[in-house]
Amino acid sequence: MQRKNFTDVTEFIFLGFSSFGKHQITLFVVFLTIYILTLAGNIIIVTITYMDHHLHTPMYFFLSMLASSETVYTLVIVPRMLSSLIFHNLPISLAGCATQMFFFVTLATNNCFLLTAMGYDRYVAICDPLRYMVIMSKGMCAWLVCGSLGTGLVMAVLHVPAMFNLPFCGTVVEHFFCDIYPVMKLSCIDTTLNEIINYGVSSFVILVPIGMIFISYVLIISSILKIASAEGRKKTFATCASHLTVVIVHYGCASIAYLKPKSESSVEKDLLLSVTYIIITPLLNPVVYSLRNKEVKDALCRAVGRNAS
């Protein structure tokens, strides 16, 4: 990459949570605890889904893929963030920053479209139950998972090389990882084109899945309302409650973080939103699907019972 007339920047330093001063140790303990719980929860979800044949269904296949994706997603960002809370001013190379951003964009997009696939699964299960196993075949499930990951890779290939083709003058990233906009702000030149690409990618990754999930749930609710008994309606909707809870939190945080006008941005607000999106949301999935889902709780009880005996 050529950067004529500009100082050649080879590494960045994260500003991170330096403004929190002496509270950084407290943040380290809190974030480490959440991270351990997130890893443990997602690993349990993947393991129990693989081991228990009662969970060998499309719904739990997608759930295990989401848990796997979020495990890698947090591994890419959180360990370095925790290190920066203890060892200040840790540098990251330009290549390391590009790699982190590439995995972040890929896996964040993958998670969004996996949630969409899970919404489609619930639509077929409720609106066309007699053909559920035919439509949601192993081939279709594999295609949806590969399509989600492939979309993530395409978004990252479109985005990251364009970002790191920019000449950089600044070295201090006002964030705790190589997020798109904080890195873009360090460029020496006008970044209007990159901002348009960034907003286009963010809009596609967030609004398209939201639209597809919304359509799925309109059709789901219309089918549920046709069920005669109140108990039947409640039981049917309960199969969607966990997914709907995760969707609302996930896309709510993502929309505020990446679709709001940059004029409304501040370092403190962006850090808070990113902490919610990067650390809290991945913990939400195993918690919601464990506490609100009877089949997962039953599978955990069976697994604990086998180990105890």
Side-chain angles (χ1 to χ4, degrees), residues 48-49 52 54-55 293-306:
I48 206 73
T49 302
D52 196 299
H54 295 91
L55 302 183
N293 194 294
K294 185 177 183 300
E295 289 178 301
V296 173
K297 287 190 285 188
D298 290 345
L300 284 169
C301 290
R302 286 191 292 270
V304 171
R306 282 198 298 267

Side-chain angles (χ1 to χ4, degrees), residues 33-45 63 66-67 70 241-243 245-246 279-294 296-297 300:
T33 302
I34 294 173
Y35 181 53
I36 291 170
L37 291 173
T38 300
L39 282 180
N42 282 320
I43 289 170
I44 288 171
I45 289 288
L63 177 58
L66 181 63
E70 293 206 320
S242 299
H243 176 255
T245 302
V246 172
I279 299 175
I280 307 299
T281 303
L283 175 63
L284 182 69
N285 294 345
V287 169
V288 168
Y289 278 102
S290 297
L291 296 180
R292 293 184 60 90
N293 194 294
K294 185 177 183 300
V296 173
K297 287 190 285 188
L300 284 169

Side-chain angles (χ1 to χ4, degrees), residues 104 175 177 179 181-182 198-199 202 206 249-262 264-266 269-278:
F104 167 69
H175 213 35
F177 74 101
D179 202 356
Y181 188 67
N198 177 35
Y199 199 78
S202 299
I206 295 171
V249 176
H250 181 95
Y251 288 108
C253 292
S255 298
I256 296 170
Y258 293 101
L259 296 183
K260 73 179 187 301
K262 293 306 173 188
E264 298 178 11
S265 294
S266 71
K269 287 181 181 178
D270 288 345
L271 283 176
L272 180 61
L273 284 169
S274 293
V275 165
T276 305
Y277 188 65
I278 302 294

Side-chain angles (χ1 to χ4, degrees), residues 5-156:
N5 301 324
F6 298 114
T7 303
D8 194 29
V9 173
T10 59
E11 63 183 28
F12 294 130
I13 294 172
F14 297 126
L15 186 64
F17 301 92
S18 57
S19 61
F20 287 79
K22 61 183 180 180
H23 299 295
Q24 289 187 74
I25 298 299
T26 304
L27 289 176
F28 174 83
V29 173
V30 171
F31 292 158
L32 179 61
T33 302
I34 294 173
Y35 181 53
I36 291 170
L37 291 173
T38 300
L39 282 180
N42 282 320
I43 289 170
I44 288 171
I45 289 288
V46 173
T47 304
I48 206 73
T49 302
Y50 175 77
M51 291 177 58
D52 196 299
H53 71 276
H54 295 91
L55 302 183
H56 290 179
T57 64
M59 175 181 172
Y60 294 106
F61 171 70
F62 291 129
L63 177 58
S64 67
M65 291 296 102
L66 181 63
S68 301
S69 178
E70 293 206 320
T71 299
V72 180
Y73 174 71
T74 53
L75 279 170
V76 169
I77 297 171
V78 179
R80 176 169 278 276
M81 182 201 75
L82 292 172
S83 299
S84 68
L85 285 167
I86 300 297
F87 308 104
H88 307 300
N89 297 327
L90 280 177
I92 184 171
S93 67
L94 210 63
C97 186
T99 302
Q100 187 184 61
M101 188 183 292
F102 185 89
F103 277 102
F104 167 69
V105 173
T106 299
L107 294 170
T109 304
N110 181 50
N111 293 346
C112 287
F113 281 91
L114 280 176
L115 285 170
T116 308
M118 293 170 77
Y120 177 68
D121 171 75
R122 291 299 82 205
Y123 157 73
V124 176
I126 293 170
C127 298
D128 200 356
L130 296 179
R131 297 201 304 145
Y132 176 69
M133 293 310 297
V134 175
I135 296 173
M136 299 305 295
S137 62
K138 289 183 179 179
M140 173 59 80
C141 292
W143 186 88
L144 288 171
V145 169
C146 291
S148 298
L149 182 58
T151 304
L153 288 169
V154 169
M155 294 300 105

Side-chain angles (χ1 to χ4, degrees), residues 209-283:
I210 286 177
M212 295 171 74
I213 292 171
F214 178 76
I215 292 170
S216 296
Y217 272 98
V218 167
L219 296 172
I220 285 169
I221 291 170
S222 65
S223 293
I224 289 174
L225 292 176
K226 293 176 184 176
I227 299 174
S229 69
E231 184 64 29
R233 290 195 296 270
K234 182 179 178 181
K235 185 176 179 180
T236 303
F237 187 75
T239 65
C240 304
S242 299
H243 176 255
L244 196 55
T245 302
V246 172
V247 163
I248 291 170
V249 176
H250 181 95
Y251 288 108
C253 292
S255 298
I256 296 170
Y258 293 101
L259 296 183
K260 73 179 187 301
K262 293 306 173 188
S263 58
E264 298 178 11
S265 294
S266 71
V267 174
E268 291 77 13
K269 287 181 181 178
D270 288 345
L271 283 176
L272 180 61
L273 284 169
S274 293
V275 165
T276 305
Y277 188 65
I278 302 294
I279 299 175
I280 307 299
T281 303
L283 175 63

